[in-house]
Amino acid sequence: MSIHHPAPVRLWDRAILAQAGRAAVCKLDPRQMVRNPVMFATAVVAVVATVLSLTATSHQGVMSQITLWLWFTVLFANFAEAIAEGRGKAQADSLRRTKSEAVARRVVSAESALEMTTCESVPAEALRAGDLVECKAGDLIPGDGDVVFGIATVDESAITGESAPVIRESGGDRSAVTGGTRVISDRIVVKITCNPGESFLDRMITLVEGAKRQKTPNEIALTILLVGLTLIFLLVVASLPVFASWSRVDIPLMFLAALFVTLIPTTIGGLLSAIGIAGMDRLVTFNVIAKSGRAVEAAGDIDVLLLDKTGTITLGARQAAEFVPLGGISERDLAEAAFLSSLADDTPEGKSVVLLARQRFGFQAPPTEDLSFIPFSAHTRISGVTIRGASWGGVMTATSEIRKGASDAILRLVTQTRELTGSIGRDLAQAVERVARSGGTPLVVARDGHLLGVIHLKDTIKPGIRDRFATLRAMGIRTVMITGDNPLTAAAIAAEAGVDDFLAEATPERKLELIRQYQQGGRLVAMCGDGSNDAPALAQADVGVAMNTGTQAAREAGNMVDLDSDPTKLIEVVMIGKQLLMSRGALTTFSIANDVAKYFAIIPALFITAFPQLQALNVMGLASPQSAVLSAIIFNALVIIALIPLALKGVRYRPGDAATILRRNLLVYGVGGLVVPFIGIKLIDLLVSGLGLA
Amino acid sequence: MDANGLLTIVVFCALVLALTPLLGRYMTAVFDGQVKGLGWLERPIYRLCGTSADEEQHWSRYALSLLAFSAVGMLLLYALQRLQGGLPWNPAGLAAVAPDLAFNTAASFVTNTNWQSYGGETTLSYLTQMAGMTVQNFVSAATGIAVAIALIRGFARHSARTVGNFTVDVTRAVLYLLLPLCVVGALALVALGVPQNLSAYTSVTTLEGAQQLIAQGPVASQMMIKHLGTNGGGFFNVNAAHPFENPSALTNLIHMVAIFAIGAGLTNTFGRMVGSQRQGWMILTAMTILFGLSLAVALGAEVQGHPLLAAHGIDQLASPWQSGGFLEGKEVRFGVVTSVLFSIVTTAASCGAVIAMHDSLLPLAGMMPLLNMMLGEVIIGGVGAGLYGMMLFVLLAVFIAGLMVGRTPEYLGKKIEGRDMTLALLAILAFPLCIFGLGSIAMVWGQGAIQDAGPHGLSELVYAYVSATANNGSAFAGFSANTLLHNILLGLAMLAGRFMVIIPLLAIAGAMAARKTIPPSAGTFPTDGGLFVVLLIMVVLVIGGLTFFPLLALGPLAEHLTLAAGTLF
């Protein structure tokens, strides 16, 4: 499946900018401002400053300029949030557009197991969880749900961007449908699984809308830190006039206001919300919908990645490469049994068995009414076919059972009825081992309780996957390959792919058990899954990415949904989580480091009249106390605007070990945060004094 | 700088570093309950307190025990002072201490501050000194150590409900750590000439023919706990500058090493208990670098001598004929370098004992003791208090920069959550709240206590409030603190500076103990390397230090710059 990315919204999209400009003003509403304590404090100071400059009798020019920049500081922060929201909404809207006007046909009464239904037309928004709706060819599916009757092809391009329609049917692992997708053929009855406002899209939209957005745990903790720092600086600034009075220093109230606003962490305070929204946004760009911000944060913390072998580590399709008959069995007999049992098997493996058997012996398919297929189940790890006694190829045959599956599963089945005789057990073990050691998957075939031989399925490791695992290991993330293969095959592939560990002969229970085991050791686990039997493991995992093609149960259990159903994306999800946390940390560090320069700009300015010698602390050589304070406050406001692109794009993330990443980021954002404002404030001061503004 | 002073610094640092792993290992054994010899003494104490050595407490019980213990201790101290007139062992017939002073003094000794608004020999009876002050010298130090140990347990344990037993921890700290070390140390001091007797004062005729009364008493035994427990309250009014407290350069060295020994050793105990001594060494490295910086600035200012004297062509530099520096108010026997070293040591730890008057240090040199205390005394610090204070900055550093590795913040495998941040900030707020809040109240209504005009006057008041909040107890002489207002405000500052930090920290300890420990991986924020040391130092300086930059600019910095320009006030 090709990965389709919604066209990424340009950083400075004009429509979004205009909208954000308006939103920045609307967000001055105190009820909204109070959600962001640092900016709320700034806004309160700005109000006070406005009153001060309006009632001032002297220095009105500088005072009104300071007031103006205080307001700009608040507006810039609002603007940053509004842009992030705008970009998020632009993406969400394009997903939602199809959905809004949908009309649903709700089932009022039904006959013979939903074969025939009586329906009423209701708007899609009126649907509640549990409602049944009928969708025919051409209909939009009105909400997220599960197919409970029928089979249909569905065009999901509105969601996934993938143009090829997909099959959705009741039962099985392909029963989930998403609101806003269109039925192309046939008729299905869908049981709606969520109330209006709770669908994946709705949830995602609330994640990118600032006013409704729930803060994530780390965001809350960070906000507490910022509030604490604000309180500390409030004490510093409020008590300053008292201490200064000893030296008969009279500090203008406006300067105190400016000092307070420059010291409190306005940079991170103003951008925190934008960073969070932008993180969600980046996920959406990757066609992954997170159901909560918490999940995205957890993604950054992941220690263990459980990856399904097939489709993630190896190319999805394992190809039948040879038939290995046991002693006394002809290759043709084995191939025939394999052929018959694989006829109904739609998986690439099954198809390749049929193909190989045809190529080698030219078999023709028998009439299907004589065959009843036993589909593969994750429990027994066996599939097969039962052939009713009938004539085909002109020969009467007795009822015959063909089973194929993993060697231990088939062996258990066979030995249920009789003991293995002679060397057959050893022969099988040898054949299985030979195939397994070569990294292939041995598929054992038995007919009527007799072992026939082994199909050698060849696995192909995806190119480049080894390097990705090496990168993950360097990041401190352990990769565990999950496979239904026997331990030998699993070990061979695990070694070839370079994963740290593997779980062979995996069942949903063992998978769940493994997750619990890792979690008990304090590790955070991520996995992806699609089937209903994956749901418990998805729910247990700290980050569970459900495939969009999976069942509704799986999609409900996971905390993210991958619209492209690409299990490899788990790795990207982890990277996005890390990038979100890093952006937050980098800007916090930058913001706090900035204070050093601001102190050196403002403190000499405040006290220089009383102690002219304090000019020595004016290391930037700022022109005058007025221009020093004004320059600091202008820098403080402008740095928010300057950092909006960084907040939206996230800091550059190059995978590596924590020490390397920390060293680089400390150098850029820590040392940078110390140095940049010295230069910035000096430049602004040159401009301010040059233009005669102060 | 004289070679003698330099040698003192080197030997001092070497001794402290050499003692660290030894004391660290011993304390680990003591608090793990592996040191047993005095069980016959321990058991009755536990039975009396209704507990046993095996009983463990939830952090809240631990905190309540600590508060109750301190409250009872404070009440006893207050009662002793108020009633001493009618109690025995009061040969001088000293009257009851005034209520405000009694409150201030009780708060001072319970919080391990030993701030003395009074003159010892003229205010307190022998009973009050012995049953009150000396007891608190031991148990307030033990309390600080207990809190540090509980916090360490919080990091070391996982999925645990308890953090230890307060009674057991305090008892063990006194019986196995403080008492034995004091006995050994006191004997050494006696051997080196410190008096230890109960004799009456000796009257002698001086060379000039004048009569002089020479005070003495059980000095050696008090010296050891005063330094070892970072208490700082002197036997004599001039503290360790008195030749009976501190007869020689060697006793001076012992005093200084004793001040740092337990605090430095606890970093090693921390490392051992959390399973990686390296973690402890990194904390100690950060402390040592901060100490070095502080010492360098102070020495740099002091060895130059007084700028106004230099302007008159007076040679103040070290040479074969003089030790150099500006000696007014310094310990002339040991010279400027050792005096400054002692001042930095006593304020880096929360001791407060002095051999030089901090008020007499040149402005920049005087600023460093002030700054050491403003940082929260996290450079070695008070016994226990230094480590748990530093942990606050560690949590902040990890929280601010930890995100930069792309994981939510964690330390020693413990995730740091919103609640922990609230608690840490509550503790950190104690300092600005007392220094800026109570300090500005004092500034408005208590200016009368200030002696000097100009920036130095401001430094006197600020120093008093910083010293009280940081539970240091040293003072800028010249500030008349024994007034109703200052006694109450300083008393409150001492209590807040102690318990507003301890209680949230114990809550953090409880939360950490209950949490799972995440095994480290290549993606874990590294806290055992040089990078972390640099980060920690930056956070201590930027969050702890910059907050006070305006005060420093108005006080010592302004004084320094105006002095350099030749202005006196």
Side-chain angles (χ1 to χ4, degrees):
Chain A
M1 181 183 286
S2 71
I3 298 176
H4 163 89
H5 298 284
V9 181
R10 274 186 305 127
L11 195 55
W12 302 113
D13 183 283
R14 195 168 296 167
I16 291 180
L17 283 185
Q19 203 183 16
R22 283 191 298 276
V25 179
C26 297
K27 281 172 184 284
L28 287 175
D29 178 349
R31 281 165 304 176
Q32 279 201 47
M33 288 298 299
V34 84
R35 282 173 52 86
N36 184 341
V38 176
M39 294 325 291
F40 185 70
T42 311
V44 171
V45 171
V47 171
V48 174
T50 310
V51 176
L52 282 178
S53 56
L54 287 178
T55 55
T57 47
S58 62
H59 289 107
Q60 226 163 3
V62 176
M63 286 177 80
S64 42
Q65 285 185 69
I66 292 179
T67 307
L68 202 64
W69 283 101
L70 284 173
W71 280 115
F72 276 146
T73 313
V74 180
L75 285 173
F76 288 168
N78 287 350
F79 183 63
E81 189 184 78
I83 288 188
E85 264 177 44
R87 284 158 52 86
K89 269 193 221 160
Q91 270 159 356
D93 282 350
S94 67
L95 298 179
R96 180 154 64 170
R97 200 164 296 131
T98 45
K99 187 185 156 194
S100 50
E101 325 87 30
V103 175
R105 277 206 305 284
R106 183 160 61 190
V107 175
V108 183
S109 66
E111 289 163 41
S112 56
L114 296 167
E115 196 89 49
M116 300 285 291
T117 49
T118 318
C119 297
E120 57 174 359
S121 284
V122 293
E125 294 93 70
L127 292 174
R128 291 282 174 277
D131 283 352
L132 293 176
V133 291
E134 183 196 55
C135 302
K136 288 182 186 156
D139 285 351
L140 273 182
I141 297 173
D144 292 356
D146 246 339
V147 179
V148 289
F149 178 83
I151 175 165
T153 44
V154 177
D155 173 11
E156 295 195 338
S157 60
I159 299 284
T160 63
E162 171 63 42
S163 55
V166 292
I167 303 280
R168 289 286 175 258
E169 59 183 323
S170 61
D173 283 351
R174 293 181 299 177
S175 64
V177 289
T178 308
T181 56
R182 191 176 295 275
V183 177
I184 296 185
S185 72
D186 304 290
R187 165 183 172 276
I188 46 175
V189 176
V190 174
K191 185 177 197 173
I192 298 296
T193 48
C194 59
N195 290 321
E198 289 173 10
S199 73
F200 295 136
L201 281 178
D202 292 318
R203 282 193 227 176
M204 193 196 70
I205 287 161
T206 54
L207 285 179
V208 297
E209 277 181 352
K212 289 184 217 151
R213 205 167 65 91
Q214 270 206 327
K215 284 186 181 148
T216 57
N218 175 260
E219 230 177 333
I220 293 172
L222 194 53
T223 307
I224 291 169
L225 172 76
L226 301 183
V227 170
L229 290 177
T230 307
L231 280 177
I232 291 176
F233 289 123
L234 185 64
L235 283 165
V236 172
V237 173
S239 66
L240 198 52
V242 180
F243 290 110
S245 69
W246 173 257
S247 301
R248 285 171 209 87
V249 180
D250 196 18
I251 307 175
L253 211 49
M254 186 60 95
F255 281 13
L256 281 181
L259 177 64
F260 176 64
V261 169
T262 50
L263 290 185
I264 63 175
T266 46
T267 312
I268 180 66
L271 294 174
L272 187 57
S273 165
I275 295 170
I277 296 170
M280 298 296 144
D281 229 38
R282 271 194 296 279
L283 264 188
V284 178
T285 320
F286 266 92
N287 257 3
V288 176
I289 293 179
K291 291 200 261 170
S292 72
R294 180 190 284 267
V296 186
E297 261 173 21
D301 281 345
I302 288 304
D303 305 289
V304 179
L305 275 184
L306 301 191
L307 297 165
D308 280 325
K309 184 193 78 176
T310 310
T312 312
I313 295 170
T314 60
L315 290 169
R318 283 182 298 193
Q319 301 293 327
E322 65 176 315
F323 296 110
V324 188
L326 296 177
I329 311 279
S330 74
E331 192 188 345
R332 190 190 167 90
D333 286 348
L334 170 62
E336 188 189 67
F339 172 72
L340 289 172
S341 65
S342 303
L343 276 174
D345 190 347
D346 260 351
T347 62
E349 291 91 338
K351 284 180 183 156
S352 77
V353 171
V354 172
L355 190 70
L356 182 69
R358 275 210 175 113
Q359 277 172 354
R360 308 249 321 140
F361 303 104
F363 297 128
Q364 291 298 314
T368 47
E369 59 265 25
D370 295 338
L371 308 178
S372 74
F373 293 101
I374 290 110
F376 178 81
S377 103
H379 265 281
T380 58
R381 308 209 315 285
I382 284 176
S383 65
V385 63
T386 301
I387 306 160
R388 265 198 302 276
S391 69
W392 65 274
V395 186
M396 269 301 291
T397 52
T399 296
S400 170
E401 285 186 347
I402 302 173
R403 297 290 180 268
K404 68 177 188 319
S407 77
D408 61 322
I410 294 289
L411 265 180
R412 207 178 310 127
L413 184 81
V414 171
T415 49
Q416 266 169 12
T417 49
R418 75 184 75 176
E419 289 289 305
L420 289 182
T421 53
S423 63
I424 192 115
R426 204 175 59 238
D427 283 358
L428 179 74
Q430 272 171 3
V432 163
E433 198 176 322
R434 184 173 69 75
V435 171
R437 277 204 193 289
S438 69
T441 308
L443 207 55
V444 179
V445 184
R447 185 165 193 161
D448 301 326
H450 293 284
L451 292 169
L452 296 182
V454 177
I455 307 171
H456 181 173
L457 291 178
K458 249 192 159 154
D459 250 322
T460 324
I461 307 279
K462 278 191 182 174
I465 199 87
R466 209 185 155 83
D467 295 339
R468 296 200 79 174
F469 291 149
T471 311
L472 286 170
R473 193 169 310 115
M475 288 159 61
I477 297 172
R478 202 178 159 76
T479 44
V480 180
M481 181 179 86
I482 304 291
T483 171
D485 291 343
N486 65 63
L488 270 181
T489 314
I493 294 175
E496 196 185 338
V499 289
D500 296 303
D501 203 354
F502 61 87
L503 176 68
E505 291 167 353
T507 57
E509 288 79 14
R510 292 190 57 186
K511 212 161 158 182
L512 185 63
E513 181 57 33
L514 184 71
I515 295 176
R516 289 222 175 102
Q517 214 174 309
Y518 275 119
Q519 285 174 335
Q520 232 122 53
R523 295 175 196 275
L524 272 76
V525 183
M527 66 162 287
C528 53
D530 50 7
S532 289
N533 51 23
D534 280 333
L538 278 172
Q540 179 73 34
D542 301 280
V543 173
V545 181
M547 300 294 104
N548 195 42
T549 52
T551 58
Q552 189 63 26
R555 299 203 307 186
E556 284 296 329
N559 43 22
M560 290 188 198
V561 178
D562 177 14
L563 298 176
D564 296 335
S565 305
D566 172 13
T568 329
K569 251 198 258 166
L570 205 48
I571 299 171
E572 266 85 23
V573 168
V574 169
M575 306 264 183
I576 288 172
K578 285 198 178 293
Q579 199 187 20
L580 168 72
L581 295 172
M582 274 169 55
S583 306
R584 227 180 252 163
L587 289 179
T588 309
T589 308
F590 186 86
S591 184
I592 291 172
N594 270 347
D595 275 4
V596 178
K598 293 172 189 168
Y599 266 118
F600 277 96
I602 297 188
I603 293 298
L606 295 185
F607 305 141
I608 208 141
T609 42
F611 301 110
Q613 294 86 356
L614 280 182
Q615 179 64 28
L617 293 180
N618 183 7
V619 289
M620 285 171 268
L622 304 179
S624 69
Q626 285 77 16
S627 83
V629 174
L630 187 58
S631 304
I633 202 90
I634 293 177
F635 175 83
N636 196 50
L638 288 183
V639 80
I640 296 181
I641 284 286
L643 290 175
I644 288 179
L646 186 67
L648 295 184
K649 281 192 295 191
V651 305
R652 200 147 60 97
Y653 178 64
R654 261 183 278 147
D657 66 301
T660 316
I661 295 175
L662 181 64
R663 190 172 313 120
R664 192 172 52 229
N665 282 336
L666 263 185
L667 205 65
V668 175
Y669 300 100
V671 177
L674 284 175
V675 176
V676 167
F678 277 102
I679 301 167
I681 293 175
K682 177 66 187 172
L683 289 178
I684 295 171
D685 177 74
L686 286 176
L687 207 64
V688 163
S689 53
L691 294 174
L693 294 174
Chain B
M1 201 191 294
D2 61 321
N4 196 1
L6 208 62
L7 189 68
T8 311
I9 295 174
V10 172
V11 172
F12 165 73
C13 292
L15 280 176
V16 171
L17 287 179
L19 276 176
T20 299
L22 297 178
L23 268 175
R25 190 167 71 187
Y26 179 65
M27 286 190 282
T28 310
V30 166
F31 294 105
D32 278 347
Q34 288 155 4
V35 180
K36 291 205 171 78
L38 299 172
W40 54 273
L41 204 58
E42 281 183 74
R43 277 186 294 273
I45 297 175
Y46 301 153
R47 215 166 321 145
L48 202 67
C49 300
T51 181
S52 79
D54 313 318
E55 199 183 310
E56 287 256 328
Q57 293 173 313
H58 186 250
W59 77 264
S60 54
R61 293 266 314 200
Y62 200 100
L64 276 178
S65 307
L66 184 148
L67 284 179
F69 182 68
S70 302
V72 169
M74 192 167 160
L75 276 177
L76 269 175
L77 272 185
Y78 183 82
L80 269 175
Q81 294 177 75
R82 299 286 295 141
L83 303 173
Q84 67 176 9
L87 293 172
W89 287 326
N90 185 8
L94 293 166
V97 180
D100 59 313
L101 179 58
F103 161 75
N104 181 282
T105 309
S108 163
F109 279 77
V110 162
T111 56
N112 197 240
T113 310
N114 292 24
W115 168 269
Q116 291 159 302
S117 283
Y118 58 91
E121 50 273 60
T122 55
T123 317
L124 302 180
S125 74
Y126 285 171
L127 179 75
T128 314
Q129 289 269 23
M130 288 193 297
M133 308 308 155
T134 313
V135 169
Q136 281 300 332
N137 274 351
F138 278 92
V139 295
S140 69
T143 302
I145 297 174
V147 173
I149 294 294
L151 185 63
I152 296 173
R153 287 199 190 107
F155 283 111
R157 292 177 178 182
H158 61 94
S159 318
R161 233 182 48 81
T162 58
V163 294
N165 182 324
F166 177 72
T167 315
V168 175
D169 288 342
V170 167
T171 310
R172 289 207 172 125
V174 172
L175 286 186
Y176 292 113
L177 186 65
L178 297 175
L179 271 178
L181 285 177
C182 280
V183 170
V184 174
L187 289 175
L189 289 180
V190 170
L192 291 170
V194 178
Q196 174 76 14
N197 59 40
L198 295 167
S199 316
Y201 294 177
T202 310
S203 179
V204 295
T205 309
T206 65
L207 288 178
E208 297 156 344
Q211 286 293 311
Q212 190 182 345
L213 203 61
I214 296 181
Q216 50 200 316
V219 184
S221 57
Q222 290 216 20
M223 278 311 95
M224 226 34 225
I225 188 60
K226 159 188 151 193
H227 296 120
L228 203 58
T230 58
N231 292 290
F235 191 90
F236 299 106
N237 203 25
V238 289
N239 213 302
H242 195 290
F244 280 177
E245 282 203 7
N246 199 2
S248 65
L250 195 54
T251 57
N252 193 54
L253 187 66
I254 293 176
H255 289 334
M256 288 192 297
V257 171
I259 294 174
F260 268 14
I262 293 181
L266 275 172
T267 61
N268 187 257
T269 305
F270 165 74
R272 283 172 196 273
M273 289 177 85
V274 301
S276 158
Q277 284 196 55
R278 211 179 143 79
Q279 297 282 359
W281 286 116
M282 288 305 129
I283 304 277
L284 188 62
T285 307
M287 290 173 166
T288 310
I289 292 172
L290 283 166
F291 174 74
L293 289 175
S294 181
L295 185 63
V297 173
L299 280 178
E302 205 65 55
V303 295
Q304 302 295 325
H306 197 290
L308 294 190
L309 291 179
H312 286 86
I314 296 168
D315 178 19
Q316 302 171 75
L317 295 179
S319 68
W321 294 276
Q322 61 180 20
S323 64
F326 177 59
L327 281 168
E328 193 276 320
K330 313 290 155 39
E331 171 58 277
V332 286
R333 294 178 298 155
F334 306 140
V336 163
V337 175
T338 309
S339 298
V340 169
L341 174 64
F342 200 105
S343 299
I344 298 301
V345 168
T346 198
T347 50
S350 94
C351 184
V354 291
I355 64 170
M357 297 303 113
H358 292 179
D359 179 53
S360 296
L361 294 169
L362 288 170
L364 276 191
M367 180 172 84
M368 297 326 286
L370 190 57
L371 185 59
N372 285 343
M373 296 188 293
M374 285 169 165
L375 296 182
E377 288 184 335
V378 293
I379 310 170
I380 308 297
V383 285
L387 183 70
Y388 65 65
M390 193 53 138
M391 281 298 132
L392 283 177
F393 285 111
V394 168
L395 290 181
L396 270 192
V398 165
F399 194 83
I400 291 169
L403 285 169
M404 283 200 294
V405 303
R407 281 166 76 107
T408 55
E410 63 198 15
Y411 182 58
L412 301 174
K414 306 283 192 183
K415 285 281 172 213
I416 298 159
E417 293 164 9
R419 179 172 172 274
D420 311 321
M421 242 348 40
T422 315
L423 291 165
L425 280 162
L426 212 60
I428 286 176
L429 263 174
F431 269 66
L433 207 60
C434 292
I435 295 167
F436 294 114
L438 298 177
S440 51
I441 296 174
M443 197 70 218
V444 174
W445 286 289
Q447 283 193 7
I450 298 173
Q451 176 186 277
D452 296 293
H456 194 80
L458 180 71
S459 299
E460 287 172 10
L461 181 131
V462 170
Y463 195 101
Y465 280 82
V466 171
S467 173
T469 310
N471 295 155
N472 185 280
S474 68
F476 251 31
F479 186 70
S480 322
N482 192 6
T483 65
L484 179 66
L485 179 81
H486 290 304
N487 276 336
I488 290 172
L489 289 181
L490 288 170
L492 289 176
M494 290 185 269
L495 292 172
R498 178 83 161 175
F499 297 106
M500 235 183 105
V501 177
I502 283 181
I503 302 304
L505 268 170
L506 284 176
I508 290 176
M512 293 295 163
R515 226 157 270 167
K516 280 186 206 160
T517 304
I518 305 159
S521 72
T524 312
F525 183 85
T527 55
D528 56 356
L531 204 56
F532 177 68
V533 172
V534 174
L535 178 68
L536 183 57
I537 291 173
M538 288 312 294
V539 168
V540 169
L541 291 178
V542 171
I543 307 248
L546 267 189
T547 319
F548 298 99
F549 185 61
L551 283 186
L552 295 177
L554 277 172
L557 283 175
E559 189 187 355
H560 169 75
L561 292 167
T562 48
L563 187 65
T567 315
L568 290 173
F569 292 87

